[in-house]
Amino acid sequence: MLESRNELYLFRLTESDDFSVSHLMEALMMELYREKGYSAAAVRSMIMLLMVGLDRAKMERQSRSFFYTVTDYIQSHIRSAELDELASQMGYSSRHLARKLTEETGSTFSDLLTHIRLQKAAELLADTDLIIEEVACQAGYKNSSGLYKRFQAVYGMSLGEYRRLYRG
């Protein structure tokens, strides 16, 4: 790059990529064209920092993609979601997927499943007139008593109180 001035280099960034990558690109271009003392060393250092920034952005996108794959599976299989089935679909062993989930999200598959089921129940309570048993069923619970206990523990109120709060 230092020897060939008229070449064009393209890097694809998304809106969510780190601001420092864009800032570093600007600083790199300024350094290339100003040619002050120690310019070559500064450019080499900035290129190294830029590559690290681009690699981190790529890793973050992959991590988000992994999380969305898991949550999309759970949402579309809310009644029957199983770690073994998801692992098979993603090409992982169950043990490896469980470990990767915990590393990437800080939660277990069971925790994510419960969280998504409770979100679904809260959405149904707020937006529909379904009876509690049907809300429980559509949220993936076999019966309403399991939903009652978990909902109360997480939301700090009963299903009826939540519905009155968000519908009233």
Side-chain angles (χ1 to χ4, degrees):
M1 277 181 86
L2 292 174
E3 280 85 40
S4 53
R5 296 263 178 200
N6 294 322
E7 291 187 29
L8 178 64
Y9 295 88
L10 297 175
F11 296 93
R12 182 185 305 209
L13 297 175
T14 64
E15 288 179 26
S16 62
D17 286 334
D18 196 300
F19 172 75
S20 65
V21 170
S22 299
H23 181 70
L24 195 52
M25 279 300 297
E26 289 177 22
L28 177 61
M29 298 306 290
M30 297 292 284
E31 191 66 42
L32 275 169
Y33 291 105
R34 284 190 183 159
E35 294 184 5
K36 292 185 176 183
Y38 301 103
S39 187
V43 167
R44 283 186 188 93
S45 296
M46 285 185 208
I47 289 173
M48 291 296 286
L49 289 172
L50 179 63
M51 293 300 128
V52 168
L54 290 170
D55 197 41
R56 283 182 179 164
K58 179 182 174 189
M59 288 171 32
E60 287 174 15
R61 282 191 302 275
Q62 289 172 339
S63 179
R64 283 191 300 268
S65 175
F66 173 78
F67 179 72
Y68 291 134
T69 300
V70 171
T71 56
D72 285 348
Y73 166 81
I74 291 173
Q75 289 169 346
S76 62
H77 297 85
I78 200 160
R79 294 181 187 177
S80 62
E82 292 182 4
L83 178 64
D84 293 339
E85 181 183 337
L86 176 59
S88 176
Q89 286 182 13
M90 294 181 75
Y92 294 115
S93 69
S94 298
R95 189 170 163 209
H96 180 73
L97 178 60
R99 188 173 38 252
K100 186 171 174 72
L101 257 174
T102 303
E103 287 172 6
E104 301 252 344
T105 68
S107 298
T108 65
F109 179 80
S110 179
D111 291 340
L112 288 172
L113 179 60
T114 298
H115 179 76
I116 290 171
R117 283 179 171 171
L118 289 174
Q119 279 184 325
K120 178 70 172 177
E123 177 185 310
L124 291 169
L125 289 168
D127 298 339
T128 71
D129 291 325
L130 294 173
I131 60 172
I132 300 300
E133 287 74 19
E134 186 59 30
V135 168
C137 181
Q138 286 192 26
Y141 288 90
K142 289 183 173 46
N143 57 55
S144 58
S145 65
L147 174 59
Y148 274 113
K149 291 175 189 172
R150 294 201 185 214
F151 198 91
Q152 178 74 41
V154 172
Y155 287 90
M157 63 182 80
S158 72
L159 299 165
E161 290 170 329
Y162 184 90
R163 177 171 267 170
R164 282 189 294 280
L165 180 67
Y166 285 94
R167 305 261 336 252

